[in-house]
Amino acid sequence: MNRLAPLDRLTRLITFAARPHASYQAALFRIGLGGIAAAFLLREWPHRRLLYGDRSPWSTEMAARVVEEDHRFSVLLWSGGHGWFELVYHGAIVASVLLMLGWRTRATSVVFLVAVLSIESRNIYLGDAGDNALRVMALYLAFTRCGAVWSLDARRRARARRQGKPVDDRAGMAMWQALGVLLLWVSDGFPHTAWAAVLWAFWAAHGLWYAAHRWPRGHQARDLLDAATAMLHNCAMLVIAVQVCLIYGTAGWYKIQGALWQEGSGLHYALHLDYFMPWPALGGLLAHSMLVVFSLSYGTVIVQAAFPFLLGYRRLKNVLLAAMMLEHLAIGVVLGIPFLSAVMIVSDAVFLPTSFLILLGTHCARRARRMTGAAVNAPSREHPPSGIGHAARG
């Protein structure tokens, strides 16, 4: 009996690891990152050529030198022409929207990763650290099964199950083939980096997944592949959580070492920087009260430094998450760095309870059905119901 106990615990551990967890958190993470990237690209659309394109003061040659030194890559550097830039930039917008909607997430998450890396690496001196967080999180997102719920993929699978038919993914297979041809064509554009090998590995893994899912459920190879992808998904979600803890932990402990934050005046100087004053009246109102500045400064340090250590306590964790999200919301409004705040709020949402997310999803679905039903049943002004029409004519 004692000999079987360790084996039984190992079996339960393997069974637990072979099932995907945090599917709702991954879906919310996918929707958030896709929406943030799309909003950023649309906001910068009028100035896109000056910031990242052929009119940028940061020339292609200088960008290529930095990319090679930092072992990055950017498909924008493959051609300095206007047409290529427009294709990549607008393709990034399309990829962000498709990822947010959850259309063929296995492929669009990788395309989204390539788009984010390419645009961010074209001019690394733009941004407010939100682009760095988005780039890192986009890399982790590509390893998750982020389309299991709240996606067009999940809707297509549910419809196929209701009809008792296998999932028809011809569009996904065609997209996989097209991406393979494109990747073969541009493989020479990855000099001195391992990014080509990474993208080929993604492409091969997706092809294996498509092939395995043509076999009946219960096939050993399919079950093994499903377990492997579930483990990879769980590891990626764990890495995302650890990354968030590292961000908050290092930020909190660095502030503890600073003299300004030790005396409680760190926020006072941040509120007086011209670069972080989109609303001077609001910033001046907060900076006018030293008690408010003192409380917010110490509260920021305490919350950030304690974040990694309080996640194991459920009630404290939920209160802490609410405090962190409110803090980032205030930072985005008062200091004028909305995209960094948005990325961190989406990253914080990874720790939200599954029960809360299910309740939130049910509420949103009910509201959407109610709004759709109201729009369908609303009487048209041009074609009123028959009774109204007869009454008017009579």
Side-chain angles (χ1 to χ4, degrees):
M1 190 65 131
N2 293 334
R3 294 179 180 178
L4 293 177
L7 183 60
D8 185 50
R9 286 195 295 267
L10 179 61
T11 303
R12 287 200 299 267
L13 178 61
I14 294 175
T15 304
F16 176 82
R19 294 197 308 268
H21 301 281
S23 297
Y24 289 93
Q25 288 82 354
L28 183 60
F29 193 62
R30 181 202 81 235
I31 295 170
L33 289 188
I36 291 168
F40 174 79
L41 294 172
L42 290 174
R43 191 196 72 168
E44 303 298 349
W45 190 86
H47 315 288
R48 63 192 184 282
R49 296 181 66 183
L50 185 63
L51 297 176
Y52 303 104
D54 52 322
R55 295 180 181 176
S56 176
W58 188 252
S59 66
T60 304
E61 291 76 14
M62 291 188 291
R65 187 181 306 172
V66 173
V67 164
E68 185 175 1
E69 291 176 354
D70 294 349
H71 301 286
R72 297 167 175 254
F73 87 92
S74 175
V75 299
L76 288 174
L77 301 179
W78 294 349
S79 174
H82 173 59
W84 175 247
F85 167 74
E86 295 290 353
L87 178 63
V88 174
Y89 194 91
H90 290 88
I93 297 176
V94 173
S96 301
V97 174
L98 291 178
L99 180 69
M100 182 174 58
L101 296 176
W103 185 83
R104 304 304 189 275
T105 52
R106 292 182 182 273
T108 52
S109 61
V110 180
V111 176
F112 175 76
L113 169 63
V114 172
V116 168
L117 288 175
S118 298
I119 294 177
E120 195 269 341
S121 299
R122 174 59 180 85
N123 194 341
I124 64 173
Y125 298 106
L126 294 175
D128 51 13
D131 53 338
N132 292 331
L134 182 63
R135 171 172 55 87
V136 173
M137 296 305 178
L139 177 61
Y140 300 149
L141 181 68
F143 292 93
T144 65
R145 297 171 64 171
C146 55
V149 296
W150 295 349
S151 66
L152 295 178
D153 292 345
R155 185 178 181 180
R156 187 179 68 255
R157 289 191 295 267
R159 183 169 59 247
R161 284 195 299 267
R162 287 195 303 267
Q163 297 174 354
K165 299 178 180 178
V167 180
D168 186 10
D169 200 8
R170 297 177 184 177
M173 178 58 69
M175 185 178 181
W176 175 78
Q177 293 172 346
L179 289 176
V181 174
L182 179 63
L183 188 58
L184 182 63
W185 179 50
V186 301
S187 289
D188 292 338
F190 298 96
H192 311 298
T193 68
W195 281 108
V198 172
L199 294 178
W200 275 116
F202 273 122
W203 184 82
H206 290 173
L208 182 62
W209 183 86
Y210 281 123
H213 277 253
R214 296 180 67 89
W215 302 328
R217 188 174 296 275
H219 194 283
Q220 291 184 354
R222 175 173 176 173
D223 292 343
L224 180 62
L225 184 62
D226 283 338
T229 56
M231 290 181 182
L232 189 62
H233 162 85
N234 295 334
C235 290
M237 293 302 296
L238 179 61
V239 170
I240 292 171
V242 172
Q243 181 71 52
V244 176
C245 291
L246 288 175
I247 291 174
Y248 286 133
T250 53
W253 287 102
Y254 269 116
K255 287 183 176 67
I256 289 176
Q257 300 175 39
L260 297 179
W261 291 94
Q262 290 178 6
E263 65 185 23
S265 60
L267 185 61
H268 173 81
Y269 294 97
L271 292 172
H272 284 83
L273 295 175
D274 293 336
Y275 185 76
F276 297 111
M277 291 182 65
W279 317 99
L282 180 59
L285 180 63
L286 290 176
H288 182 71
S289 174
M290 288 304 299
L291 179 60
V292 173
V293 171
F294 182 85
S295 301
L296 291 177
S297 297
Y298 271 104
T300 299
V301 174
I302 293 172
V303 169
Q304 289 183 350
F307 185 86
F309 305 102
L310 297 181
L311 290 176
Y313 301 93
R314 180 174 300 179
R315 294 182 180 178
L316 287 177
K317 181 197 73 171
N318 295 333
V319 174
L320 189 63
L321 285 175
M324 295 301 296
M325 291 181 178
L326 289 175
E327 177 188 348
H328 284 297
L329 183 62
I331 289 174
V333 174
V334 177
L335 300 183
I337 43 179
F339 290 103
L340 172 61
S341 300
V343 172
M344 294 311 302
I345 289 174
V346 170
S347 301
D348 292 341
V350 171
F351 299 99
L352 289 175
T354 302
S355 57
F356 171 76
L357 294 179
I358 294 175
L359 183 63
L360 178 64
T362 303
H363 176 72
C364 293
R366 188 181 299 116
R367 288 286 300 273
R369 286 195 298 268
R370 190 176 303 168
M371 293 175 62
T372 304
V376 171
N377 297 326
S380 173
R381 294 183 179 180
E382 297 180 358
H383 304 283
S386 56
I388 299 177
H390 287 301
R393 285 193 295 271

